[in-house]
Amino acid sequence: LTNLQSLSLDEVGQADAFSEPLPESWRMLVSLRSLSVENNQVAGELPAWISELPLLHFVDLSGNSFEGPIPIEWASLPELRFLDLRANRLSGSFPQHITDMDTLELLNIRLNHFSGSVATPTYRGGPELRTVNIEDNNFSGDFPVALAIRQDRFGRSILRWTGNDCFYTDDPRFSFELDQRQPLSCRQ
């Protein structure tokens, strides 16, 4: 099994067949490039040992019941390009240690319980970042303008931010009045 490159166990937990934490024995899958355990009932914290899988470039653990923060150890994954953790119960602050990665192209943490500020208004993220979805969390504070003005290949902002507590900016590209800080995208 150490030569296994792709592991996909999507939606097997619908019959309570896969609802335990991810097995620690998976840390021996050192050739793994793609890990998808989407839409199950997997609970517990995200395991730090995932950082021991050096070839991993695709991780989809969305639609589960993971809790807690994204382990800081994951920032050491040298090949990680795609990280989808949407629709869990994750919490903590914005995972800047992940968006700073040189290889990361997509981060989706939509529909979780993250809170606090996203980043400073001048924060841009890593060089390969193409999509950052932080919708439907509890983020607030200064709006990360430099991240929001980065565009994907279709000319759209790489940042998806609606459904959070409240962001503020005085940047004319995102506010209606230039003489005072305006709330932007406040949760109703």
Side-chain angles (χ1 to χ4, degrees):
L1 282 177
T2 58
N3 292 326
L4 186 68
Q5 293 186 8
S6 180
L7 178 59
S8 180
L9 296 170
D10 297 341
E11 299 185 14
V12 297
Q14 298 303 324
D16 285 336
F18 192 64
S19 60
E20 298 297 317
L22 297 179
E24 194 165 337
S25 61
W26 289 5
R27 73 185 328 149
M28 300 305 193
L29 303 174
V30 293
S31 297
L32 201 64
R33 295 177 181 274
S34 175
L35 174 63
S36 182
V37 185
E38 178 185 357
N39 292 324
N40 287 285
Q41 298 169 14
V42 184
E45 293 188 353
L46 294 169
W49 58 256
I50 284 182
S51 66
E52 298 172 23
L53 304 174
L55 302 178
L56 202 58
H57 70 266
F58 178 95
V59 177
D60 186 348
L61 301 176
S62 63
N64 285 292
S65 296
F66 286 109
E67 297 177 332
I70 300 172
I72 198 161
E73 293 88 350
W74 288 20
S76 68
L77 285 165
E79 302 293 327
L80 188 63
R81 298 191 182 294
F82 180 96
L83 181 58
D84 190 346
L85 300 172
R86 75 184 182 285
N88 277 286
R89 297 177 183 156
L90 297 171
S91 60
S93 60
F94 178 73
Q96 189 168 332
H97 59 285
I98 299 295
T99 56
D100 280 343
M101 296 173 66
D102 288 339
T103 57
L104 191 71
E105 295 176 22
L106 180 141
L107 173 67
N108 189 345
I109 57 172
R110 182 175 189 233
L111 291 166
N112 278 288
H113 304 288
F114 290 100
S115 61
S117 65
V118 172
T120 65
T122 58
Y123 176 72
R124 292 188 43 79
E128 297 300 320
L129 212 49
R130 302 288 178 261
T131 301
V132 179
N133 190 331
I134 62 170
E135 293 177 318
D136 302 309
N137 279 281
N138 299 309
F139 290 117
S140 62
D142 286 331
F143 186 64
V145 172
L147 188 58
I149 62 173
R150 286 183 61 180
Q151 295 181 347
D152 64 15
R153 62 185 176 164
F154 302 108
R156 298 176 302 206
S157 172
I158 68 166
L159 181 65
R160 312 290 184 267
W161 67 80
T162 62
N164 281 285
D165 284 347
C166 207
F167 288 117
Y168 293 90
T169 185
D170 55 6
D171 189 290
R173 293 167 286 193
F174 297 97
S175 63
F176 298 107
E177 295 180 26
L178 304 180
D179 58 350
Q180 65 184 47
R181 290 170 49 92
Q182 295 294 310
L184 172 71
S185 182
C186 293
R187 180 177 290 158
Q188 299 299 328

